[in-house]
Amino acid sequence: MNLQQMKYVIYTAKYNSFSKAAKELFVTQPNISNAIKELEQELKIQIFERSKSGVSLTKEGVVFLNQISPVVEQMGLIEDFYAKENEADNMLSVASQHCTLFSETMAQLLLDHTFGDSYKIHILEAKTKEVLEYVQSGMCEIGILLKNRDNRVLSWELEQRNLEFRLLQERHPHVYLRREHPLANKEIITKEDLAPYPYIKYYQGKNSMQFFSEEVVEDHESDKTIYVTDSMTVEQLANRMDAYTMGSGYRRTGSDKGVLKAVPYDSSEVVELGLVISRSRNLSALCNKYLEIVEQYIAQYEC
């Protein structure tokens, strides 16, 4: 199995047609159909059902497509990154956990920086372990991570991958909830206060153990838990019901400050905001410019 075969599967599934996939990829239809047939024989599965009206994924094909899509996407980003050496000054790839700081500072970079006629910016919102993998592989220049100061397993994981965690700021945990929430006007929220309400937390997939959790209070649990994969869903759920999530206290700035309010949580735990950087690579000028914006952003918040 090779990358080209995986691309053929993805495009054929997209168009439900060998001919349309071939046209999109600038190859002949026999090339695609033969390559996929060889792949099916190699894996001993049937990826597509063939008919006069076109092709469609089998159940095995759906599973296979879900497995290969992240691989092809990552390879595409890597190829993009190294495609044109003369564009290096206008290229930046950053991966981050689900954090308001990430989108806010990226938007500011795009507004402030003069890029010229072309640029390539990769903005990847990812699970904790994916952030480490993206930086280790070189697909992303840096990662942005929030971690509990006492999380020794994550520190060990960084060390094993030859990655440095560069501390930017220490924070204390906050509770994010809608402005009309019954707890929204409290000066500080306790664990007992939260007991009746649903808790929204980020799903980490097979790495869902607490060491790779994005929750800044590692031992916080609830009988009512909602698992999500993206920050938009968090905001939509919290805005429509008395659910809450935990975070660092960073929140949207400007005239539109968002629908969620951050209230301090009664905890002695310390959250570390930091950069994930490869020890074997130097940061680009554009990346350093971005980090200046990050530092200006976090300076607005008390520790």
Side-chain angles (χ1 to χ4, degrees), residues 158-176:
L158 287 157
E159 187 70 29
Q160 294 302 303
R161 294 173 181 272
N162 196 33
L163 300 174
E164 174 189 347
F165 181 78
R166 185 178 298 176
L167 180 65
L168 293 175
Q169 190 180 59
E170 291 185 340
R171 305 283 302 161
H172 293 288
H174 283 64
V175 179
Y176 287 91

Side-chain angles (χ1 to χ4, degrees), residues 60-158:
E60 292 175 315
V62 171
V63 173
F64 180 66
L65 181 68
N66 289 335
Q67 291 174 325
I68 65 171
S69 293
V71 177
V72 174
E73 182 182 0
Q74 290 185 27
M75 288 301 297
L77 289 171
I78 293 172
E79 289 170 355
D80 250 5
F81 190 86
Y82 293 104
K84 296 181 180 179
E85 290 184 7
N86 62 346
E87 290 183 356
D89 289 343
N90 284 335
M91 295 173 62
L92 178 64
S93 296
V94 181
S96 173
Q97 292 170 323
H98 308 84
C99 181
T100 302
L101 172 146
F102 180 49
S103 55
E104 289 271 301
T105 51
M106 266 299 177
Q108 198 61 51
L109 174 70
L110 292 167
L111 288 170
D112 289 353
H113 190 71
T114 303
F115 288 98
D117 294 333
S118 65
Y119 57 84
K120 285 186 171 68
I121 307 294
H122 295 141
I123 307 170
L124 307 182
E125 189 175 89
K127 301 181 182 72
T128 303
K129 202 156 190 177
E130 288 174 343
V131 172
L132 308 187
E133 290 168 352
Y134 289 163
V135 179
Q136 181 185 22
S137 69
M139 188 172 79
C140 289
E141 192 168 354
I142 60 168
I144 297 176
L145 212 62
L146 284 163
K147 74 180 186 71
N148 188 291
R149 185 171 61 184
D150 299 321
N151 191 334
R152 299 187 184 280
V153 173
L154 186 52
S155 298
W156 179 86
E157 184 83 17
L158 287 157

